Amino acid sequence: MKLLETLTQTPSVPGREARIRAVIEAYVTKHKLVDELRTDAMGSLIGIRKPRPKGKAKNPPLKVMLAAHMDQIGFLVSYISAEGFVRVNPVGGFDTRNLFARRVRVCTASGDLPAVMNPAGRPIHIASADEKSKVPEITDFFLDLGLSGDEVKEKVKIGDMVVLDGPFSEVGNYVVSQCLDNRVGCWAVIRTLEMLKHHNCEIHAAWTVQEEVGLRGAIPASFSIEPDIGISCDTTLCCKTPGVPDEQRVTVPGDGVCLKVMDSSTIADIGLLEDLEAVAAKKGIKCQRGVLPRGGQDGAAIQRSRGGVRTAVFACPVKYIHTITEMSHKTDLESYPALLSAYLETL
Ligand SMILES: [Zn+2]
């Protein structure tokens, strides 16, 4: 949990993944989880774990790519007014209804600055009925750093990253935090490498960049890795909550990691999915199938790279996804690296 907490509390939005990459790089290096480690031109971190066979090595080994995107949804500074109010451009999909009265962190070259985020307009006491019912556009929001225009302009640059600020905590049987999407996937890949004992396959663990703006980092990463099998490691919706019809729940919390059947970017290889389910059944690891009508993940980029790659999609169920109160059930977290490592040991 400590590692997952550190990952969720390290800001990194699309195109600004240096901080989270440094955390992951330091961890996998310290614990000797990979044999080779490189950062590609776009910033994805790629570690190679050579086969560690029990007996004689298979020749040549199957090449398996694990892809977990490192970026979280956030903003880049787009404008600073004379009074020091900062406007931002979103990188990733926000529901503006979740952006009222938020504490945010403005990450500058000289350090992080706290700020608050609100939509432009009048508070409830003096707002018109019309204003009260309007859902603001993302461009209506601004940041207040509590500093003068000159002070803000001295410290903040156009292009600096901004993230929502929220703590990591445990609530009942769940963990709650911002950016469980997709620090859970990053964590699961690390835990998998830690749990693996003997395996014949060659594992290429890619912590990718810029997924939230269209799977951009996974495209060159899969092109260079040229895998035989791809496994996207991400999160997915869990809407088993009031106000959502049960047929739209996507996943059930506590039923184990979701093996995605399809979303709007990928139809998973059904043979791989069945192999994974067979391993889960044999080892007594919980997992569930899920279909997401809209949404994508890095698997789409892997599947369509070069001549095509057989691809499966792991996704941890997350309630209230893309808010700062994302919730994941501990059973689903545990089953994720348990199943992934058990499966890799069979290849
Ligand atoms: Zn994601």
Side-chain angles (χ1 to χ4, degrees):
M1 286 304 148
K2 185 81 204 106
L3 174 62
L4 184 57
E5 176 172 359
T6 304
L7 294 170
T8 62
Q9 297 302 307
T10 305
S12 284
V13 307
R16 302 285 184 278
E17 291 93 349
R19 291 191 190 191
I20 189 72
R21 184 173 57 239
V23 169
I24 296 170
E25 189 169 1
Y27 192 92
V28 300
T29 304
K30 184 178 169 206
H31 295 91
K32 298 186 171 60
L33 300 182
V34 291
D35 302 305
E36 289 171 30
L37 195 59
R38 70 177 192 277
T39 299
D40 76 7
M42 277 190 74
S44 294
L45 181 67
I46 301 169
I48 303 175
R49 165 104 147 205
K50 297 269 169 59
R52 297 186 184 175
K54 209 169 196 170
K56 204 172 163 297
K58 269 189 201 164
N59 211 8
L62 267 182
K63 216 194 273 184
V64 183
M65 174 177 179
L66 310 178
H69 71 87
M70 298 189 282
D71 55 319
Q72 72 196 85
I73 55 171
F75 309 90
L76 297 178
V77 170
S78 59
Y79 174 79
I80 302 162
S81 77
E83 300 83 18
F85 294 116
V86 170
R87 299 286 178 150
V88 292
N89 202 58
V91 272
F94 278 103
D95 181 344
T96 53
R97 292 172 300 176
N98 296 324
L99 291 177
F100 286 82
R102 289 293 170 210
R103 289 172 193 273
V104 300
R105 219 197 291 189
V106 184
C107 304
T108 77
S110 53
D112 292 358
L113 301 168
V116 296
M117 174 180 243
N118 275 298
R122 287 185 282 243
I124 189 165
H125 317 67
I126 54 171
S128 67
D130 206 35
E131 284 172 313
K132 278 188 228 172
S133 62
K134 186 177 162 253
V135 177
E137 299 288 324
I138 200 108
T139 45
D140 292 331
F141 286 84
F142 66 92
L143 313 183
D144 188 339
L145 285 81
L147 298 169
S148 72
D150 287 344
E151 286 170 317
V152 174
K153 285 185 175 174
E154 194 190 302
K155 293 175 173 162
V156 180
K157 289 206 163 48
I158 304 291
D160 281 350
M161 119 176 110
V162 176
V163 293
L164 299 175
D165 215 357
F168 177 97
S169 59
E170 295 185 37
V171 172
N173 300 317
Y174 290 78
V175 298
V176 175
S177 178
Q178 60 184 330
C179 67
L180 290 180
D181 177 12
N182 183 35
R183 301 302 152 69
V184 164
C186 296
W187 168 86
V189 170
I190 294 169
R191 284 293 298 137
T192 295
L193 295 172
E194 282 181 325
M195 290 166 77
L196 273 172
K197 292 181 192 86
H198 297 286
H199 54 95
N200 292 310
C201 58
E202 184 173 277
I203 298 161
H204 294 243
W207 292 273
T208 64
V209 295
Q210 300 191 32
E211 189 269 354
E212 295 286 4
V213 289
L215 328 178
R216 296 182 195 173
I219 297 169
S222 31
F223 187 88
S224 68
I225 292 169
E226 224 178 324
D228 299 304
I229 290 174
I231 298 176
S232 172
C233 302
D234 208 324
T235 56
T236 194
L237 276 60
C238 177
C239 306
K240 202 159 169 53
T241 48
V244 185
D246 208 40
E247 67 268 24
Q248 291 176 11
R249 67 194 186 190
V250 185
T251 56
V252 177
D255 275 7
V257 64
C258 169
L259 302 174
K260 253 195 198 171
V261 172
M262 68 174 291
D263 56 27
S264 56
S265 73
T266 313
I267 298 171
D269 184 283
I270 191 66
L272 286 184
L273 199 155
E274 287 167 354
D275 290 349
L276 284 158
E277 286 177 328
V279 172
K282 194 172 166 201
K283 299 273 181 180
I285 300 166
K286 277 186 162 185
C287 70
Q288 58 184 313
R289 289 188 179 194
V291 170
L292 181 66
R294 272 203 308 276
Q297 35 61 46
D298 279 346
I302 306 172
Q303 188 172 53
R304 298 173 210 182
S305 67
R306 290 188 179 259
V309 179
R310 296 180 72 204
T311 299
V313 181
F314 274 61
C316 187
V318 175
K319 296 201 277 190
Y320 323 117
I321 201 162
H322 284 198
T323 74
I324 58 166
T325 56
E326 292 181 336
M327 273 181 116
S328 276
H329 199 285
K330 288 180 187 170
T331 299
D332 302 336
L333 290 169
E334 280 165 24
S335 66
Y336 197 145
L339 179 55
L340 187 51
S341 59
Y343 173 68
L344 291 170
E345 285 176 353
T346 67
L347 295 178

